[in-house]
């Protein structure tokens, strides 16, 4: 099929209505009102929730997202079960499906599972009509675009009566961070387009150019684009593991990690971003993308390179377990039957996402040691926590056996007779807690374990409570 410069995008389809597909399509649809955008998903529950009248029930919580959804949903942005027609109508299709780490078979524990990407390619090959531009939004291993192109073309080759359908495959990885997704999508540092079909590249570029300055749109070859995404996440995670490793050194030497972050971050060559210590990075992507990079390096025989990047994960695992261990140690080496209030379960603030959250690992460790946990989070619900902790919620932790948990609403009330408060997510509300009244209700000696540096040390100076802060060396 001959595709000319006059090819105009009238319909976009996004396969995958998750943390990337939903917000990304909302911003595209808002900026391109004449384009119809269909977001499809194999999960009926996800689509139903995207269409919910009550916007607090949307499957993704992102500041600014509800406003866009209420403005354009069912005008030019649709969340639909109709996979077949959405693909058929589309001139441009984004693949934004999950690419988790494989947990069985070859490459288990490292390689990305491309089952869902392959399924998308087969669905597109089946239903698409005319010329279709297919864009990888999902994070994928290098050379995936070739697999997609092969799958798309194979349908044509098999047909006796050759169908009049053609495909151009591009890579345009997503760099949004959860919690700031809408702002990241509206004002990205850069947009990346990888490909070798100039016409397809121009068409995609013209969409982004509607709200993004052209000098921020970088064009590379397919493989640089695919690899850049993995490398960007690996570099970001590397900074966190680096600062977390130094937080431990601060604690034993009397140095203060926040002073270190400030002093090294003032050097413009280093920069001040991603230098906040914490309980270990979480989220669905850093670990999986580094593992994918490690797998790729080993596949090409670059074992030293693989070992280098794998260390970032190993340090992150150590940081999480270091936090659990020191909590137990400080509470006289046992947390059995002790009530501990956990503040924050999501992997960072401003998101309801708990994937790979450090809280999961730390809570499991504490429960394994017998603690009774009272978990608070402004956005995460008990069904999610139940799934993550693989344990049913207790209806009354006071009466229940050791190693149990419940979700709480009132932090102050729950602090009653508790031994410790552990801050695991940096939600704003935790910065404004009334420590005087909280401490007065706790069993003595009581502790605050602050893994996110949110507590104002001035505010607890004269209170009868012990404080441990990540990377806060005690002046000896
Ligand atoms: P997600 O799990 O939230 O959403 C993926 C959705 O795709 C799910 O709802 C799933 O049901 C659906 N799906 C899977 N196969 C399908 C198919 N064949 N047809 C229709 N729907 C299908 O995942 P996510 O967090 O949105 O991430 C998606 C991709 O984007 C991943 O590759 C991830 O690495 C990458 N990414 C994620 C983020 C992030 O912040 N979450 C940021 C940048 C890139
Ligand atoms: C990250 C990247 O920042 C995005 O650019 C990328 O698109 C995305 O992964 C992805 O590919 O999924 P995200 O995981 O949403 O985004 O959130 P981040 O802000 O990067 O935080 C990740 C983890 O690192 C969180 O647990 C956070 O608390 C932790 N973190 C972050 C720190 O411990 N210290 C910091 O200084 C920054």
């Amino acid at each position: 099929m001959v595709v000319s410069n006059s090819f105009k995008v009238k319909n976009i389809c996004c396969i995958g209505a998750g943390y990337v597909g939903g917000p990304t399509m909302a911003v595209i649809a808002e900026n391109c009102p004449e384009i119809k955008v269909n977001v499809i998903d194999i999960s009926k529950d996800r689509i139903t929730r995207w269409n919910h009248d009550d916007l607090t029930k949307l499957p993704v919580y992102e500041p600014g997202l509800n406003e866009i959804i209420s403005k354009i949903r069912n005008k030019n942005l649709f969340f639909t079960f109709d996979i077949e027609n959405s693909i058929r109508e589309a001139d441009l299709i984004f693949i934004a499906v999950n690419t988790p780490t494989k947990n069985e078979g070859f490459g288990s524990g490292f390689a990305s599972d491309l089952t869902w990407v392959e399924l998308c390619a087969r669905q597109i090959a089946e239903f698409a009509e005319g010329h279709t531009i297919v864009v990888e939004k999902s994070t994928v291993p290098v050379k995936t675009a070739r697999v997609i192109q092969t799958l798309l073309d194979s349908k044509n080759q098999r047909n006796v009566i050759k169908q009049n359908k053609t495909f151009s495959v591009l890579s345009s990885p997503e760099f949004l961070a959860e919690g700031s997704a809408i702002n990241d999508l509206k004002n990205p540092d850069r947009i990346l387009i990888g490909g070798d079909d100039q016409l397809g590249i121009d068409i995609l570029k013209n969409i982004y150019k509607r709200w993004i300055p052209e000098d921020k749109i970088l064009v590379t070859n397919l493989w640089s684009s695919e690899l850049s995404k993995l490398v960007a996440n690996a570099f970001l995670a590397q900074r966190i593991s680096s600062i977390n490793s130094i937080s431990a050194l601060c604690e034993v030497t009397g140095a203060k990690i926040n002073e270190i972050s400030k002093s090294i971050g003032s050097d413009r060559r280093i920069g001040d971003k991603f230098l906040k210590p914490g309980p270990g990075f979480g989220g669905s992507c850093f670990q999986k993308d580094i593992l994918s990079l490690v797998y790729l390096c080993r596949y090409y025989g670059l074992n030293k390179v693989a070992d280098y990047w794998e260390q970032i994960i190993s340090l992150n695992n150590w940081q999480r377990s270091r936090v659990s261990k020191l909590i137990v140690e400080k509470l006289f080496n046992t947390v059995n039957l002790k009530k501990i209030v956990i503040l924050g379960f999501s992997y960072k603030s401003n998101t309801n996402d708990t994937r790979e959250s450090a809280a999961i690992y730390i809570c499991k460790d504490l429960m394994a040691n017998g603690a009774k946990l009272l978990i608070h989070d402004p956005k995460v619900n008990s069904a999610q926590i139940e799934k993550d902790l693989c344990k049913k919620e207790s209806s009354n932790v006071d009466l229940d056996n050791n190693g149990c948990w419940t979700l709480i609403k009132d932090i102050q009330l729950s602090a009653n007779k508790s031994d410790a408060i552990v801050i695991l997510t940096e939600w704003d509300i935790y910065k404004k807690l009334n420590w005087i009244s909280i401490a007065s209700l706790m069993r003595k000696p009581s502790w605050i374990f602050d893994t996110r540096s949110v507590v104002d040390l001035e505010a607890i100076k004269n209170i009868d409570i012990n404080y441990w802060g990540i990377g806060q060396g005690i002046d000896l």
Side-chain angles (χ1 to χ4, degrees):
M1 183 183 173
V2 182
V3 185
S4 73
N5 284 325
S6 61
F7 183 91
K8 258 205 153 12
V9 175
K10 294 197 197 78
N11 284 286
I12 288 178
C13 168
C14 177
I15 313 185
Y19 284 85
V20 167
T24 309
M25 291 308 117
V27 171
I28 289 183
E30 188 186 31
N31 284 286
C32 306
E34 79 294 356
I35 298 179
K36 181 180 174 196
V37 179
N38 283 320
V39 189
I40 57 178
D41 204 291
I42 40 174
S43 159
K44 292 248 149 69
D45 175 59
R46 273 237 159 133
I47 294 298
T48 307
R49 287 175 64 199
W50 276 112
N51 284 313
H52 213 291
D53 289 337
D54 176 357
L55 295 179
T56 64
K57 299 278 186 321
L58 297 186
V60 171
Y61 168 74
E62 277 296 336
L65 177 63
N66 289 6
E67 289 78 354
I68 306 180
I69 297 291
S70 60
K71 205 167 72 184
I72 59 169
R73 189 176 58 187
N74 296 332
K75 294 210 167 77
N76 70 322
L77 175 67
F78 299 87
F79 295 93
T80 168
F81 306 119
D82 191 353
I83 293 184
E84 203 171 313
N85 277 317
S86 301
I87 293 177
R88 183 172 296 124
E89 277 182 359
D91 312 298
L92 195 154
I93 299 178
F94 288 98
I95 297 179
V97 297
N98 37 321
T99 49
T101 305
K102 278 184 83 170
N103 57 16
E104 53 188 14
F106 296 128
S108 175
F110 289 91
S112 295
D113 189 343
L114 294 180
T115 306
W116 294 275
V117 170
E118 181 173 332
L119 186 57
C120 288
R122 290 183 188 279
Q123 285 169 316
I124 298 169
E126 183 78 29
F127 304 127
E129 285 180 357
H131 184 67
T132 313
I133 298 166
V134 177
V135 184
E136 291 171 341
K137 254 288 150 223
S138 297
T139 303
V140 289
V142 188
K143 303 282 181 188
T144 302
R146 182 172 290 165
V147 175
I148 295 175
Q149 187 80 55
T150 307
L151 288 164
L152 294 173
D153 293 342
S154 66
K155 178 84 181 165
N156 266 351
Q157 282 154 15
R158 269 190 291 119
N159 272 351
V160 186
I161 310 159
K162 196 155 168 105
Q163 293 174 337
N164 197 17
K165 45 172 109 179
T166 51
F167 300 98
S168 162
V169 179
L170 302 176
S171 156
S172 184
E174 184 48 61
F175 295 98
L176 69 80
E178 287 177 33
S180 57
I182 299 301
N183 188 44
D184 295 343
L185 288 161
K186 287 184 173 174
N187 310 294
D189 285 350
R190 70 351 200 144
I191 285 286
L192 198 50
I193 303 179
D196 43 29
D197 164 34
Q198 194 53 48
L199 189 61
I201 293 170
D202 289 343
I203 289 166
L204 184 57
K205 208 172 175 181
N206 281 335
I207 289 178
Y208 288 130
K209 266 167 50 184
R210 301 289 284 272
W211 75 99
I212 296 163
E214 192 167 0
D215 61 356
K216 286 194 170 181
I217 305 174
L218 312 180
V219 177
T220 67
N221 80 15
L222 272 168
W223 320 132
S224 307
S225 174
E226 289 178 335
L227 187 55
S228 291
K229 173 64 199 178
L230 297 184
V231 175
N233 275 357
F235 269 60
L236 290 169
Q238 179 192 44
R239 282 175 73 94
I240 303 169
S241 277
S242 299
I243 205 70
N244 282 344
S245 72
I246 302 301
S247 72
L249 188 57
C250 285
E251 287 159 30
V252 291
T253 56
K256 303 213 180 284
I257 195 67
N258 299 326
E259 293 174 355
I260 305 256
S261 293
K262 189 156 184 212
S263 67
I264 64 167
S266 310
D267 183 331
R268 276 180 297 160
R269 293 168 304 172
I270 296 175
D272 60 0
K273 305 277 191 304
F274 270 67
L275 289 179
K276 287 199 204 85
F281 59 75
S284 60
C285 296
F286 278 174
Q287 174 165 305
K288 116 177 138 57
D289 293 349
I290 294 174
L291 290 170
S292 172
L293 187 66
V294 168
Y295 181 76
L296 204 65
C297 294
R298 295 229 164 93
Y299 176 82
Y300 286 106
L302 300 168
N303 292 327
K304 277 274 172 216
V305 186
D307 294 346
Y308 172 78
W309 289 108
E310 200 172 8
Q311 276 307 305
I312 291 159
I313 307 273
S314 149
L315 197 290
N316 198 51
N317 295 339
W318 177 75
Q319 180 79 345
R320 290 171 184 152
S321 63
R322 167 174 111 73
V323 170
S324 322
K325 278 194 190 125
L326 74 86
I327 294 172
V328 176
E329 271 166 32
K330 299 252 185 242
L331 296 179
F332 308 110
N333 281 313
T334 176
V335 290
N336 193 30
L337 296 169
K338 289 183 179 163
K339 282 211 292 191
I340 298 182
V341 178
I342 302 287
L343 298 186
F345 200 79
S346 58
Y347 76 95
K348 60 188 274 194
S349 60
N350 292 322
T351 178
N352 60 344
D353 197 344
T354 62
R355 289 178 286 182
E356 286 303 320
S357 177
I360 301 173
Y361 296 87
I362 294 168
C363 287
K364 278 187 175 172
D365 281 348
L366 295 176
M367 285 200 300
N369 280 279
K372 298 182 164 198
L373 303 182
L374 301 116
I375 303 175
H376 179 273
D377 191 285
K379 290 289 166 196
V380 181
N381 59 34
S382 26
Q384 187 58 50
I385 299 176
E386 207 158 281
K387 221 160 115 192
D388 290 333
L389 295 181
C390 312
K391 193 155 207 164
K392 282 221 162 306
E393 182 175 11
S394 162
S395 53
N396 186 340
V397 290
D398 287 320
L399 302 178
D400 213 342
N401 294 333
N402 60 358
C404 58
W405 70 274
T406 191
L407 184 64
I408 57 156
K409 283 207 163 64
D410 189 323
I411 298 170
Q412 183 115 356
L413 214 65
S414 309
N416 194 28
K417 297 199 175 67
S418 67
D419 291 270
I421 310 260
V422 182
I423 303 171
L424 294 180
T425 314
E426 71 285 17
W427 287 100
D428 271 347
I429 50 163
Y430 303 151
K431 295 176 185 158
K432 299 169 203 144
L433 293 174
N434 182 345
W435 287 111
I436 299 181
S437 57
I438 290 178
S440 70
L441 295 168
M442 294 173 74
R443 191 163 77 153
K444 304 290 170 222
S446 41
W447 278 88
I448 300 173
F449 295 96
D450 181 6
T451 70
R452 295 288 192 169
S453 317
V454 302
V455 174
D456 174 5
L457 298 185
E458 277 301 305
I460 56 162
K461 214 159 78 184
N462 299 316
I463 302 178
D464 180 17
I465 193 160
N466 297 300
Y467 175 82
W468 173 89
I470 200 133
Q472 292 298 312
I474 308 295
D475 248 336
L476 299 169

